[in-house]
Amino acid sequence: MRLAVLAGVVGMLGAQVWDPAVAMRVRGVGSVVPSPDGTRVVYTETWAVMEAEKSEQLTHVFLGDRQLTRGEKPATAPQWSPEGRWVLFLSKRGEAQNVWRIPVDGGEAEPVTESKSDVAAFRVSPDGKQVAYLAADATAAEKEKAKKEKRDFRVVDADPENQRLWLVAWAGKREARKLVAGDFHITKLAWAPDGTRIAYERQPTPRADDWTKLDIWEVTVADGTTRAVAATAASESGPAYSPDGRHLAYVRTATPVRWAKQERIVLRTGTSERELPATYDEQPVLLGWSADSRRIYFAEGKGMKRLVYAAPLDGPATVVAEPREGTYSAAELNATGTHLGLVGQAPDRPPEAYVMEARSGTAPVQVSRANADLPKFPAIATKTIRWKSKDGLDIEGLLTYPAGYQAGRRYPMILNIHGGPAGVFAETFLGGPGVYPLATLAERGVAILRVNPRGSSSYGRQFRQANYGDWGGKDYEDLMAGVDHVIGLGVADPDRLAVMGWSYGGFMTSWIVTQTKRFKAAAVGAGVTNLFSFTGTADIPGFLPDYFSGETWQNLEGYLKHSAMYYVKGVATPTLVLHGEADVRVPISQGYEFYNALKRQGVTTQMVVYPRTPHGPREPKFQLDLMERHLAWMFRYLRN
């Protein structure tokens, strides 16, 4: 199914400038890490490989405008050695993913670790002589052997592949030493500045549900002695030592732990601890410390943007990096706390890597040209709009106008709904690869409304938790009020509306078509359609009991009456159902339930299943197909 088939289907379609094939050329940028002295920057670029039998994402490390790593195997998670001569990274150039290093001034990459199971994360010691890393005991070879011998059965919840903390010397034989192991799973680590201790996060198992039980421990490198640093009923994460060694900062949730989090930065000094003032969204992500140990840097969302802040040990945080337009993401602080790496983008500007001095707050400088060779992006305007919901709550959204928009003329409009529900739409680039061909839709005469209804992040804890026990209630009213607002602006044609969303956005799309017939078409992507069956089959069985104050047997009515399947009788909207076959977050049975209910009622529907695909599409050919299918389905019903 190619876009050429769509040419001429509707009068709104113009010359192709930014179709999904162009979107697949957009490169992702991430892991922007300044060197310890701040003079150089490494970052990653990710691009689609769709040649013959290949359909994969390839990531490599770049130094300035020079590609540092090469080959058919991805290279990710770059870090600098303390003196700045080497860049270390993760790559699977054998049976398992390991830590590799490459000299920045030229030369070949060589392995640092020789783990038989995948290395998940690593950190170089402050003196550059050792590397601490996380990997499980089970080896890739053992698992493959069991699979070949048809012995790859498993007992649910038994023998979790817990990650251990290992230590290997930079030079010499590089024999790994298992520093910390036990009946728990280690997820993150941080070196003390003198190299004598390592703080680490641990939770009972690798299960997605267990993040609520994260604790912080510390191990003495010399003898392996461990002690609990923060092990309470809250979830503690993100340990970061101050450069002078006096403090340990981390993030702690409120109790009881909620999935729509409420978090504070905690400062531990010796045996005492205190919370820093609450941040705007109460979801700070720690980046590290300033070189003088007086400020803690963190990133956090605020409305449609993501900002970087500096929090003093006493007093309110101040903004360090706030874009005039667009947003920053993937912020990283260098090891010395002097420079920040950022990914900057805007609705009309593809992502690129930027660097800035952390303390001065000077304007970030672009250091990459990952997307410099793309065609000129079409003239598409995206604006932040605001309106009152039915109960008077202020709601915000992004309205993308059709290319060539003319005031006084009404256009077809698509309501696009984010996941989460604690996700958020930000001022990111419209034209990249993924699920939705937003740039192509706008270029071809369609308005797009992306709403951040109650339940979204980046508007404060109270707003984020405002949809507890009420999925499809006031959040639905927020969305409908937004649609009415754009109609009231004279932009949207009330007779040519469509809706689409993924995950929680898929839930809300399925809910909408059971509540109203005002939409001409819908696309449900990996949607939760039956809360009762979802909570017993997903990999996060603790998720909905938090949102609905109890298990299904304790609140049966709440689960049923907030499920689209409960109201599925009488649906008339033509609905496309899309789902990954390997989705454990929202199992594919959720898609089948809704599809079969529509089909058996004679509703126009189609279900497309993507093999090997988890909760979000990863294979580029599937991403391309998803964008093209959305285009075909939407234009099929918006052409009146």
Side-chain angles (χ1 to χ4, degrees):
M1 179 174 53
R2 295 292 166 185
L3 288 179
V5 177
L6 300 176
V9 168
V10 283
M12 70 179 82
L13 301 188
Q16 292 183 24
V17 175
W18 204 274
D19 63 20
V22 175
M24 295 306 300
R25 292 169 51 190
V26 177
R27 293 193 171 199
V29 178
S31 299
V32 186
V33 188
S35 62
D37 63 5
T39 62
R40 293 187 283 191
V41 185
V42 291
Y43 57 91
T44 60
E45 292 186 16
T46 301
W47 60 92
V49 178
M50 297 187 291
E51 303 167 355
E53 297 181 357
K54 289 185 177 181
S55 179
E56 58 196 45
Q57 302 283 355
L58 185 59
T59 301
H60 274 297
V61 179
F62 286 71
L63 175 63
D65 58 359
R66 174 166 63 94
Q67 185 171 338
L68 196 59
T69 64
R70 298 183 181 275
E72 295 185 353
K73 299 296 182 180
T76 62
Q79 292 179 33
W80 290 88
S81 62
E83 81 293 335
R85 291 181 53 212
W86 301 83
V87 169
L88 293 87
F89 58 93
L90 291 176
S91 188
K92 193 169 185 177
R93 303 185 176 192
E95 65 180 24
Q97 178 170 272
N98 270 282
V99 181
W100 291 68
R101 69 177 186 180
I102 188 169
V104 297
D105 293 328
E108 296 297 322
E110 60 183 46
V112 175
T113 63
E114 297 177 353
S115 175
K116 301 301 182 183
S117 60
D118 288 343
V119 174
F122 72 97
R123 284 288 182 269
V124 185
S125 63
D127 63 6
K129 294 181 179 180
Q130 299 180 91
V131 173
Y133 66 94
L134 304 179
D137 289 324
T139 70
E142 288 171 347
K143 289 187 285 187
E144 185 62 28
K145 184 172 184 282
K147 184 177 180 180
K148 288 181 178 179
E149 294 178 356
K150 305 298 186 291
R151 294 184 295 100
D152 52 338
F153 44 79
R154 60 188 178 88
V155 178
V156 176
D157 290 339
D159 302 319
E161 292 185 12
N162 290 328
Q163 290 175 172
R164 315 304 191 183
L165 175 55
W166 305 77
L167 201 62
V168 66
W170 180 273
K173 293 183 178 180
R174 300 183 186 172
E175 293 180 358
R177 167 190 166 200
K178 189 187 295 184
L179 190 59
V180 181
D183 190 20
F184 50 82
H185 175 70
I186 302 176
T187 55
K188 196 171 184 179
L189 64 138
W191 283 91
D194 62 4
T196 62
R197 293 157 293 146
I198 297 174
Y200 57 93
E201 297 174 356
R202 54 177 264 189
Q203 62 187 52
T205 74
R207 289 191 290 270
D209 245 16
D210 278 356
W211 74 268
T212 60
K213 302 170 185 175
L214 276 168
D215 294 324
I216 295 174
W217 285 61
E218 188 179 65
V219 60
T220 302
V221 173
D223 58 14
T225 303
T226 62
R227 71 179 185 93
V229 174
T232 71
S235 178
E236 294 104 351
S237 60
Y241 291 98
S242 61
D244 62 11
R246 294 185 59 220
H247 312 290
L248 179 70
Y250 60 92
V251 172
R252 180 170 65 199
T253 67
T255 53
V257 182
R258 312 307 300 265
W259 282 76
K261 300 175 182 177
Q262 178 185 4
E263 297 175 311
R264 296 281 284 271
I265 298 173
V266 178
L267 187 64
R268 188 176 184 88
T269 306
T271 58
S272 65
E273 65 177 34
R274 62 183 175 90
E275 290 185 345
L276 297 190
T279 60
Y280 168 77
D281 196 43
E282 296 188 69
Q283 286 194 122
V285 176
L286 287 186
L287 304 178
W289 288 77
S290 62
D292 60 8
S293 298
R294 294 181 178 180
R295 294 174 303 283
I296 300 169
Y297 294 105
F298 67 92
E300 190 174 66
K302 187 174 185 180
M304 301 291 185
K305 301 180 184 295
R306 192 160 185 84
L307 282 60
V308 178
Y309 298 83
L313 303 191
D314 292 290
T318 57
V319 176
V320 173
E322 179 178 11
R324 293 182 180 178
E325 59 176 13
T327 187
Y328 294 133
S329 61
E332 296 209 32
L333 188 69
N334 67 346
T336 54
T338 62
H339 289 74
L340 281 164
L342 303 162
V343 175
Q345 58 185 307
D348 60 351
R349 190 178 74 244
E352 294 289 357
Y354 292 79
V355 67
M356 63 177 287
E357 291 184 27
R359 181 164 185 168
S360 67
T362 55
V365 176
Q366 183 176 332
V367 295
S368 71
R369 290 177 53 82
N371 291 301
D373 296 331
L374 292 173
K376 183 180 179 181
F377 193 69
I380 299 171
T382 296
K383 298 180 180 179
T384 298
I385 61 172
R386 297 173 181 86
W387 60 91
K388 297 283 188 182
S389 190
K390 186 176 180 181
D391 64 353
L393 186 66
D394 291 321
I395 304 297
E396 193 171 60
L398 289 166
L399 176 60
T400 297
Y401 290 80
Y405 170 73
Q406 298 175 10
R409 176 184 172 189
R410 292 191 180 273
Y411 295 82
M413 188 182 79
I414 289 174
L415 172 64
N416 188 200
I417 309 170
H418 67 61
V424 63
F425 282 125
E427 296 179 23
T428 53
F429 184 52
L430 287 174
V435 174
Y436 300 113
L438 300 182
T440 308
L441 287 164
E443 181 193 12
R444 296 183 172 199
V446 178
I448 303 160
L449 176 62
R450 291 174 289 161
V451 181
N452 287 332
R454 68 193 74 199
S456 302
S457 290
S458 299
Y459 295 90
R461 186 264 307 172
Q462 186 174 353
F463 188 91
R464 185 167 56 254
Q465 296 181 355
N467 67 339
Y468 265 65
D470 191 40
W471 287 23
K474 287 184 170 57
D475 49 2
Y476 167 74
E477 293 175 357
D478 299 343
L479 296 167
M480 295 303 102
V483 172
D484 292 337
H485 180 68
V486 181
I487 292 172
L489 293 175
V491 176
D493 183 343
D495 295 322
R496 289 187 290 172
L497 301 175
V499 58
M500 60 189 187
W502 200 270
S503 191
Y504 174 81
F507 158 80
M508 188 56 75
T509 301
S510 68
W511 178 266
I512 284 172
V513 299
T514 68
Q515 304 299 306
T516 178
K517 294 180 172 59
R518 70 188 302 189
F519 293 90
K520 300 299 183 184
V524 177
V528 178
T529 62
N530 184 339
L531 272 60
F532 183 89
S533 58
F534 163 78
T535 197
T537 55
D539 68 338
I540 47 173
F543 176 62
L544 282 187
D546 178 39
Y547 268 92
F548 285 88
S549 302
E551 302 286 353
T552 52
W553 54 89
Q554 297 169 318
N555 183 18
L556 178 60
E557 184 177 5
Y559 281 80
L560 294 180
K561 290 193 174 181
H562 292 275
S563 297
M565 288 298 297
Y566 189 85
Y567 304 95
V568 75
K569 181 180 178 180
V571 170
T573 306
T575 302
L576 177 65
V577 180
L578 307 155
H579 224 110
E581 200 164 36
D583 193 342
V584 296
R585 181 58 41 86
V586 180
I588 194 171
S589 56
Q590 293 289 301
Y592 281 124
E593 284 191 51
F594 201 66
Y595 165 72
N596 282 312
L598 299 185
K599 181 180 178 182
R600 291 176 66 81
Q601 293 182 78
V603 181
T604 301
T605 185
Q606 182 182 79
M607 183 169 178
V608 184
V609 175
Y610 294 89
R612 303 175 300 281
T613 299
H615 193 46
R618 297 176 181 174
E619 298 180 24
K621 290 178 182 177
F622 287 172
Q623 291 179 346
L624 179 60
D625 183 81
L626 280 161
M627 288 191 286
E628 291 177 336
R629 283 186 190 277
H630 275 110
L631 278 177
W633 193 263
M634 294 301 159
F635 281 129
R636 178 179 173 184
Y637 297 100
L638 293 179
R639 65 174 179 262
N640 295 332

